[in-house]
Amino acid sequence: MIAAHDQPLLDQDQLDLLRAALDPGALRAMLAQLPAAAADALAAITAALAAGDLDGARKAAHVLKGSCSSLGAARLAEIARDIELDRATTAEMAACLPLLSETIEATADALSRVVERA
Amino acid sequence: MPLSAQGGEVTSEDRILSDDITGAKILIADDDPLCRQLVAGVLRQQKFTRLEFADGGRSALEQVRSFRPDLILLDMQMPDLNGLDVCGQLRADPDFADVPILLQTATVDRKKMGELFCGGASDFLSKPVNPSELIARVVAHIERWNSLRELRFYRERISRELEAARRMQFELLPEPAALQEAAHALGLRIASYNRPSSELGGDLWGVLPIDDGSFGIFLADFTGHGVNAALNTFRLHALIHEYKELHGDPGALVSMLNERLVRLLRIGQFATFLYVVVDHQKGEIRFASAGAPPAILVQGTAARARLCDTSSLPLGIERGVQYLTSKRRFPAGSLLLLFSDGLPEFPNAKGRRIGDKGLVTALNACPAGLTPKEVIDQLCAAAGITATSPLPDDTTIVCLDRRIAPRATPCDDGRAVRTPAAKQVPTNLSNGAQ
Amino acid sequence: MQIHMDNAGGPIAMSGEFTFSDHVPFKQMVTEIFAAPGRSVVIDLSKLDFIDSAGLGMLLLARDEAKKNHRELILRRPSGQVKRMFAVTKFNTLFTVEE
């Protein structure tokens, strides 16, 4: 968890790269979708853990990591990576979920400010 | 920080891509819709328009077969079938053995990277998506793919044209059935063998009708093989038919062809040429040679085979050469064998060549009563040429004989074969020579 | 086919089989020998086992090059199949051939 806190909420460099390469409207639409997609992933991980499906939880975390890292949500991506690769048991994974939930909200806030200012 | 910020440092990447590149069909396979959207967004911004999507490995395989993309972007980790497996299955299909496949992966593990390339990936794309990297790799692979495809089209077109030229060249040669029929009417039997070393050859042979009592037969071999040599055979064919009035005079025809070819051929190119007038009425042959391999002659059924001296300068080297006509008896029972140097110089499995003298020996060893076709088969076998041997040089063999047995009594002294058929008009010879 | 040249201006020797596939090294050799000063160029053929029509064609190119450079090209001691090829094509009338 310490690693996740070390990460800034947003990866400004990545966002700059996306801005240079994408139509502004398209980027806004993608960033706006990210929190809901992250919430879906959280729900999927929670459900998988409840069913004792470690592999299912890892796969959901992997998808979350992919979209978050590419869309510049650095801290979310780090937590997802942590769940996917560094947690060995359901209990260890479940322990990450509150932070994941919090970070989704914080990321949603930060992204909405980015989108508004566009 | 507005999203529409115009970063000054990115303008250098704003290369306008040509339609050849942006018109490429790209399949984006990723189980995460946001990732698909992101990659598509970056490509659309570069004016790529023909994008299709797959949400997993299996659907990627289906899409590839229906959409037939020019480039495939595959996410490494997909739930049903991972990118590497998809890649492996596509590479096993000849249709997609060399389509560019870019695998997207977050790994920086050197071993895993190695597996990715061993698995048939054309390249990798790092995750998180780096737009400049994505565009650069996609463009590089589409350019490579386009030039590969152009090359393939080009090669296919050339090979179609070569095939057409080969057919045209084949049509220059006498048509075997018509030729045999015509020869039979003159109390002769004839067979031929012609195989180029590549699709197009530098050998040419043909038959020229002269009059009721005689006809001409020529065999030419141009230096080298392939397109250049083949074009020269077309030239020579036209020249031979231009000098119809010389067809009865071997020395004059060969001398004239030489004068013309000296002016047409580049230095270092030449043709060996042998022209034989078979005068079955007089029972003789008259021939002139331009550096051709010696003809082999058997004068009557009881005679031994021997070489005819054909030494002289090939065609197309020196101006003003006077080629002389030689005469030999060609009584009933005789056999004449003409060949290009591909036959005596064919290296057999042991690397040995039969040579002209070896051919004489082989011909003398042939059992009596063989047809010309059988004689050719025997000589090919003696030289080590089989139906499947690749030939290092174009090879032509023509064998004709006056050994048709009269209908009632078999001929054994080789003299009684002035058959009624020999007096018939050779109506069909002209068909063979066109 | 192998080409043996010593740099002392002695004869050039060819050995092995001289066919179409040798056109690149042969042309290169021709360019080199006529770029060097001298009067006559001797090519020793005694170790050459085989020549085909493409090989003969390349000798004609060398002959042409010699003429252009006012040089004399001498072919020395062709033997075996090469000698027979020279006889049947009368190449010994086109070149100075030393036995």
Side-chain angles (χ1 to χ4, degrees):
Chain A
M1 299 296 152
I2 292 161
H5 279 297
D6 280 354
Q7 285 288 337
L9 204 53
L10 298 183
D11 176 349
Q12 292 300 344
D13 290 347
Q14 178 69 7
L15 285 170
D16 285 345
L17 289 178
L18 297 182
R19 263 184 212 104
L22 284 164
D23 167 70
L27 177 57
R28 263 198 301 273
M30 280 180 251
L31 293 179
Q33 285 174 66
L34 185 63
D40 288 350
L42 172 60
I45 295 168
T46 309
L49 290 181
D53 177 7
L54 266 180
D55 196 43
R58 282 207 180 93
K59 279 181 177 159
H62 173 79
V63 174
L64 180 63
K65 178 187 79 176
S67 45
C68 289
S69 65
S70 290
L71 286 169
R75 195 180 295 165
L76 261 184
E78 175 54 27
I79 296 166
R81 192 204 63 78
D82 188 53
I83 295 172
E84 182 197 358
L85 301 173
D86 292 345
R87 304 289 135 181
T89 63
T90 41
E92 279 178 37
M93 284 187 193
C96 300
L97 296 185
L99 176 63
L100 179 56
S101 175
E102 262 170 49
T103 310
I104 291 173
E105 273 178 50
T107 304
D109 263 6
L111 285 178
S112 68
R113 280 193 295 278
V114 171
V115 172
E116 271 165 27
R117 265 182 292 164
Chain B
M1 184 181 320
L3 279 176
S4 53
Q6 299 283 314
E9 71 274 27
V10 293
T11 49
S12 63
E13 293 169 13
D14 289 354
R15 167 183 167 198
I16 304 290
L17 298 173
S18 72
D19 295 348
D20 296 353
I21 294 178
T22 56
K25 294 191 281 184
I26 300 177
L27 177 68
I28 300 165
D30 196 312
D31 57 323
D32 179 3
L34 262 178
C35 285
R36 293 198 296 270
Q37 223 176 312
L38 176 56
V39 168
V42 170
L43 292 175
R44 284 203 181 101
Q45 193 67 0
Q46 298 298 319
K47 310 283 183 246
F48 283 93
T49 50
R50 301 167 79 187
L51 309 178
E52 281 291 336
F53 304 91
D55 59 6
R58 288 189 205 292
S59 82
L61 285 174
E62 284 166 24
Q63 285 274 44
V64 167
R65 297 204 158 95
S66 56
F67 179 52
R68 307 190 79 82
D70 299 307
L71 182 131
I72 303 164
L73 292 166
L74 275 180
D75 186 34
M76 186 66 168
Q77 247 175 309
M78 290 183 287
D80 55 344
L81 201 61
N82 75 35
L84 212 52
D85 293 335
V86 174
C87 195
Q89 290 198 27
L90 289 177
R91 289 306 187 217
D93 183 337
D95 281 2
F96 306 106
D98 44 22
V99 63
I101 301 177
L102 275 54
L103 274 180
Q104 245 189 320
T105 173
T107 192
V108 285
D109 181 322
R110 286 161 56 87
K111 190 162 165 266
K112 281 188 184 153
M113 285 299 240
E115 286 169 8
L116 182 151
F117 285 107
C118 288
S122 312
D123 210 342
F124 71 95
L125 275 177
S126 51
K127 248 187 171 179
V129 172
N130 180 332
S132 307
E133 180 201 333
L134 169 69
I135 294 159
R137 291 197 203 274
V138 164
V139 168
H141 284 277
I142 287 175
E143 279 173 343
R144 184 187 70 85
W145 177 243
N146 283 349
S147 50
L148 193 72
R149 198 169 39 184
E150 267 168 39
L151 215 62
R152 191 171 296 154
F153 283 155
Y154 179 72
R155 199 183 57 192
E156 282 166 7
R157 185 169 67 84
I158 291 294
S159 91
R160 269 199 309 277
E161 286 180 4
L162 280 177
E163 176 55 28
R166 198 193 61 74
R167 272 199 307 275
M168 282 171 67
Q169 198 180 30
F170 184 74
E171 282 163 12
L172 293 183
L173 300 180
E175 205 267 297
L179 190 64
Q180 245 171 51
E181 200 181 315
H184 196 269
L186 302 173
L188 291 159
R189 298 186 297 182
I190 187 163
S192 63
Y193 175 95
N194 176 267
R195 248 178 82 197
S197 58
S198 48
E199 283 179 69
L200 287 172
D203 281 8
L204 178 71
W205 78 280
V207 172
L208 309 172
I210 298 173
D211 54 40
D212 293 357
S214 62
F215 63 92
I217 180 162
F218 67 89
L219 199 160
D221 179 1
F222 278 89
T223 38
H225 24 83
V227 176
N228 225 326
L231 285 177
N232 284 331
T233 65
F234 286 104
R235 280 171 160 173
L236 179 66
H237 187 264
L239 285 176
I240 290 171
H241 288 272
E242 197 180 314
Y243 292 104
K244 273 203 167 59
E245 73 281 6
L246 299 180
H247 287 183
D249 184 345
L253 178 70
V254 175
S255 301
M256 182 55 86
L257 292 174
N258 180 57
E259 290 310 305
R260 294 294 300 271
L261 285 176
V262 165
R263 288 160 177 82
L264 285 171
L265 299 183
R266 287 205 311 262
I267 288 167
Q269 291 186 337
F270 60 82
T272 66
F273 190 77
L274 179 61
Y275 182 54
V276 184
V277 170
V278 179
D279 192 329
H280 45 93
Q281 230 158 47
K282 281 191 189 162
E284 66 176 29
I285 56 169
R286 297 184 291 277
F287 65 92
S289 159
I296 301 179
L297 181 62
V298 187
Q299 289 167 306
T301 42
R304 306 288 291 168
R306 60 193 182 95
L307 295 170
C308 294
D309 180 16
T310 50
S311 60
S312 48
L313 275 178
L315 299 181
I317 298 175
E318 290 274 278
R319 292 184 184 205
V321 180
Q322 285 305 312
Y323 292 89
L324 302 176
T325 301
S326 304
K327 218 182 266 188
R328 297 281 191 282
R329 285 190 318 113
F330 196 63
S334 296
L335 178 146
L336 178 67
L337 185 83
L338 313 179
F339 51 88
S340 62
D341 57 6
L343 174 64
E345 291 175 5
F346 177 79
N348 70 10
K350 288 179 185 152
R352 291 207 196 101
R353 300 178 167 91
I354 191 165
D356 302 333
K357 289 196 176 128
L359 287 171
V360 170
T361 309
L363 188 57
N364 280 327
C366 281
L370 293 188
T371 65
K373 168 81 176 62
E374 289 163 338
V375 169
I376 289 176
D377 291 346
Q378 290 270 329
L379 295 178
C380 282
I385 298 176
T386 66
T388 53
S389 354
L391 299 180
D393 196 4
D394 309 323
T395 303
T396 303
I397 310 167
V398 181
C399 181
L400 80 160
D401 72 13
R402 296 188 61 192
R403 291 178 175 182
I404 302 179
R407 240 160 243 163
T409 50
C411 153
D412 50 12
D413 67 354
R415 247 169 289 169
V417 196
R418 189 53 63 85
T419 62
K423 293 203 160 72
Q424 284 174 13
V425 180
T427 47
N428 282 329
L429 270 177
S430 55
N431 293 346
Q434 287 173 33
Chain C
M1 192 263 286
Q2 290 86 44
I3 300 171
H4 311 269
M5 291 171 84
D6 64 8
N7 293 325
I12 295 143
M14 289 170 65
S15 61
E17 304 201 339
F18 186 21
T19 63
F20 179 74
S21 56
D22 301 308
H23 73 282
V24 174
F26 185 80
K27 279 180 184 164
Q28 193 186 338
M29 177 196 84
V30 167
T31 310
E32 277 173 31
I33 55 181
F34 290 113
R39 169 77 196 104
S40 58
V41 172
V42 179
I43 302 180
D44 187 325
L45 302 179
S46 58
K47 297 268 161 45
L48 192 65
D49 303 320
F50 179 82
I51 190 165
D52 69 357
S53 64
L56 293 174
M58 285 183 270
L59 289 180
L60 292 177
L61 285 171
R63 172 177 174 258
D64 184 58
E65 204 60 30
K67 264 191 205 159
K68 282 192 215 151
N69 290 281
H70 309 289
R71 303 277 289 275
E72 190 186 12
L73 177 62
I74 298 166
L75 303 180
R76 184 171 286 167
R77 287 167 56 206
S79 67
Q81 184 267 357
V82 180
K83 190 174 184 173
R84 287 197 296 278
M85 274 299 254
F86 274 39
V88 79
T89 57
K90 291 266 162 76
F91 260 50
N92 36 18
T93 65
L94 299 175
F95 294 85
T96 307
V97 179
E98 286 180 359
E99 293 300 326

